Amino acid sequence: MMARLPPAARRAIALGVLVLLVAAGWLLVAQPLIDLSASRLAEIGALSERLALQRAIIARAPVLQRRAAADRGALDATGGLWKPTGAAELAAGMQERLRPAISGTGGRLRSTAVVAEAEDHGLRRVTVHFSIEGSLQTIQATLAATEAARPAMFVLATTIHAAPVNAMMGPAGPPPLTMEMDIGGFMPGPAT
């Protein structure tokens, strides 16, 4: 036989069960909905900031395009761009401008090769690889000729190698150096 609980205990148990049901309902239903709403509001705020930033960038695009066109025009007006020719002609033109600096210091142009052609900000960039042998003066003269060249030439990569140690010990003077250079030149228009 079951013992009967006094009415106060039954009311306390009922009240406890009711509080437990309300707390469980809050934790299982209401709180996740509130958290979902708060996270959605935060996500909407972040997306609104990104949208405002992208709209600002889009608004600046015409100004930036006009500035880029003006810069390209200034580069062309100052002789910075090579005339529209093929990559081989551009490589020959670069070689023609560098050869006096190389041979004038006792150096030797070992090889020249077009290694890349690409579009770079609306211009056509041609990269030419040069292999040069000579002394430190040859390297200095080649870099100076590259810097002073018109149309402009840009050194994109350079590697300098010295002769092996046993060749350096000879009485013939400073060791021979080999310089591998990638030089870029720009022409109007996109790459073909």
Side-chain angles (χ1 to χ4, degrees), residues 76 81-87 89-90 124 151 186-189:
D76 193 23
L81 294 178
W82 292 80
K83 296 302 175 207
T85 60
E89 290 87 5
L90 187 138
R124 185 174 161 200
F186 289 90
M187 295 184 282

Side-chain angles (χ1 to χ4, degrees), residues 91 111-116 127-130 182:
S111 66
T112 305
V114 175
V115 291
T127 304
V128 181
H129 180 81
F130 289 88
D182 287 343

Side-chain angles (χ1 to χ4, degrees), residues 7-179:
R10 281 189 285 173
R11 276 188 225 119
I13 291 174
L15 185 60
V17 168
L18 179 64
V19 166
L20 237 149
L21 287 174
V22 169
W26 178 261
L27 290 174
L28 296 175
V29 177
Q31 189 62 43
L33 288 175
I34 291 170
D35 292 345
L36 178 66
S37 174
S39 71
R40 292 288 184 225
L41 283 174
E43 187 178 334
I44 288 170
L47 290 173
S48 295
E49 287 178 16
R50 283 183 58 197
L51 180 62
L53 179 63
Q54 289 176 351
R55 284 183 177 157
I57 290 170
I58 290 170
R60 289 182 51 209
V63 172
L64 294 175
Q65 288 170 344
R66 284 192 299 274
R67 188 182 305 162
D71 289 346
R72 272 194 299 275
L75 184 63
D76 193 23
T78 60
L81 294 178
W82 292 80
K83 296 302 175 207
T85 60
E89 290 87 5
L90 187 138
M94 287 182 175
Q95 184 175 340
E96 196 176 289
R97 283 167 179 74
L98 293 180
R99 188 177 301 279
I102 295 167
S103 61
T105 57
R108 182 174 69 99
L109 181 60
R110 291 178 8 170
S111 66
T112 305
V114 175
V115 291
E117 198 173 341
E119 183 176 346
D120 191 353
H121 296 89
L123 297 172
R124 185 174 161 200
R125 184 186 73 225
V126 177
T127 304
V128 181
H129 180 81
F130 289 88
S131 181
I132 301 166
E133 189 176 80
S135 63
L136 183 57
Q137 290 77 24
T138 304
I139 292 171
Q140 290 171 333
T142 303
L143 291 173
T146 303
E147 181 181 10
R150 286 290 175 251
M153 296 190 298
F154 302 92
V155 177
L156 305 174
T158 303
T159 305
I160 300 172
H161 303 278
V165 175
N166 58 359
M168 287 187 200
M169 300 303 177
L177 301 172
T178 301
M179 179 168 61

